[in-house]
């Protein structure tokens, strides 16, 4: 991959110095280094034509580009797997909590029925308790 920043550092140049050599602004060099803009072919051609700088970071190996694409794809798969694992854990937690709530509800219902069976209440006349 073409890397202007590595090229610049490899040749002990500041952004200002490189901008002066190329006839552009330091801000333009900065945007190239931050990958906000693609490196124009005429910039690469101009640097190579000067024939006084190490240009190893300006030569783009097509195989390297393919490796980067594969790495990015793997990162997406890894990220997707991480998200999947988090969602799986959350789902398992929710299901576990749901089972616990159902279990508590059943126990509460059993207690309620048991209490109703054993409940004694007073007769309306106020006499003895009636079952």
């Amino acid at each position: 991959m073409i890397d202007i920043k590595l090229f610049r550092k490899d040749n002990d140049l500041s952004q200002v110095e490189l901008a002066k050599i190329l006839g552009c602004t330091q801000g333009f060099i900065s945007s190239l280094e931050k990958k906000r803009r693609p490196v124009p072919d005429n910039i690469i051609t101009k640097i190579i034509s000067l024939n006084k700088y190490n240009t190893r970071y300006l030569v783009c190996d097509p195989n390297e580009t393919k490796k980067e694409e594969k790495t990015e794809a793997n990162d997406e798969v890894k990220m997707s797997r991480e998200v999947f694992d988090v969602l799986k854990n959350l789902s398992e937690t929710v299901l576990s909590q749901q089972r616990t709530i159902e279990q508590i509800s059943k126990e509460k219902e059993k207690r309620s029925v048991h209490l109703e069976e054993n409940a004694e209440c007073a007769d309306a006349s106020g006499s003895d308790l009636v079952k």
Side-chain angles (χ1 to χ4, degrees):
M1 181 177 173
I2 297 169
D3 195 321
I4 289 292
K5 186 174 188 174
L6 288 176
F7 163 79
R8 183 177 59 76
K9 290 188 174 202
D10 192 40
N11 289 285
D12 295 321
L13 296 168
S14 69
Q15 286 184 349
V16 173
E17 290 169 326
L18 182 57
K20 194 173 192 179
I21 292 165
L22 298 175
C24 61
T25 65
Q26 177 272 328
F28 180 74
I29 299 298
S30 176
S31 66
L32 295 177
E33 288 184 3
K34 292 178 181 176
K35 312 274 189 253
R36 290 184 183 150
R37 305 176 119 171
V39 180
D41 291 338
N42 65 329
I43 295 287
I44 297 165
T45 304
K46 187 169 185 175
I47 293 170
I48 292 172
S49 71
L50 294 172
N51 210 18
K52 69 183 218 180
Y53 297 106
N54 184 345
T55 58
R56 65 181 162 182
Y57 294 110
L58 297 180
V59 179
C60 185
D61 180 3
N63 293 329
E64 194 168 308
T65 303
K66 288 179 184 175
K67 287 178 194 173
E68 285 177 16
E69 288 172 3
K70 286 179 184 177
T71 302
E72 287 176 11
N74 288 341
D75 288 347
E76 288 176 15
V77 169
K78 183 185 284 183
M79 180 59 98
S80 295
R81 182 64 190 187
E82 289 171 5
V83 170
F84 174 79
D85 289 341
V86 168
L87 289 174
K88 181 182 170 203
N89 289 339
L90 285 172
S91 296
E92 289 172 356
T93 301
V94 168
L95 287 173
S96 173
Q97 289 175 344
Q98 190 173 14
R99 280 187 228 113
T100 302
I101 290 169
E102 288 171 358
Q103 201 172 23
I104 290 170
S105 294
K106 285 179 184 178
E107 288 176 17
K108 187 176 177 183
E109 191 176 307
K110 285 179 185 178
R111 282 192 206 128
S112 178
V113 168
H114 180 69
L115 288 174
E116 285 177 13
E117 289 174 355
N118 293 329
E120 295 179 354
C121 56
D123 191 344
S125 64
S127 63
D128 295 339
L129 294 176
V130 178
K131 199 172 194 184

